[in-house]
Amino acid sequence: FIEPGGFLVFDIHPTCKLRALDGHACPAEAEREGIFCAWSVADTGEDGVYEFCIDVFTRRGKLWERRTESFCERAWEPDWIRGRLERHGFGDIEVFGDRSDAQPGADEQRIFFVARRM
């Protein structure tokens, strides 16, 4: 619940980023020894929905324990989101590019929204 005058602040991965990740798998460095993380992204076939799979391996003595997490993320266009915000009582909507106070460019990795509840 956001009271009138309150703000909603969030970010999205734009469609271009999710499309570029489709089919990729990547190991990621862990912040401490004894942990290894790998992730992959795949188009689910449902319009604009991508599945992220993350495998975390933790060393347990001489063996590794594997935990898997998966989730889906939908790609939304900024104009669609702006329209829904307005429709549901938000105004003064600002949209920013990644780590910038400028409008998002065509190849942004993240897009940030700030909207005031009217």
Side-chain angles (χ1 to χ4, degrees):
F1 180 79
I2 300 174
E3 301 235 1
F7 287 92
L8 174 63
V9 179
F10 63 96
D11 70 297
I12 64 167
H13 291 131
T15 304
C16 65
K17 177 180 181 177
L18 294 177
R19 275 193 198 124
L21 289 174
D22 181 27
H24 283 77
C26 182
E29 296 279 334
E31 292 184 11
R32 60 183 205 251
E33 283 189 44
I35 295 178
F36 177 78
C37 178
W39 58 268
S40 64
V41 180
D43 187 336
T44 65
E46 185 180 337
D47 189 33
V49 177
Y50 296 82
E51 181 178 26
F52 287 71
C53 287
I54 302 169
D55 291 310
V56 178
F57 298 87
T58 306
R59 186 179 293 276
R60 302 282 186 234
K62 293 182 179 182
L63 303 176
W64 291 85
E65 177 184 0
R66 178 182 182 181
R67 291 178 302 160
T68 299
E69 178 180 332
S70 66
F71 58 91
C72 290
E73 191 167 318
R74 180 178 295 278
W76 301 104
E77 294 300 326
D79 288 341
W80 187 90
I81 293 173
R82 178 185 293 275
R84 292 309 179 277
L85 287 168
E86 290 169 347
R87 181 174 159 191
H88 292 284
F90 287 88
D92 300 331
I93 300 166
E94 296 184 73
V95 183
F96 303 100
D98 197 6
R99 299 184 194 118
S100 168
D101 58 0
Q103 290 291 308
D107 60 348
E108 293 290 349
Q109 295 298 298
R110 277 210 161 115
I111 297 176
F112 290 82
F113 290 80
V114 177
R116 180 188 305 264
R117 180 74 170 185
M118 304 314 274

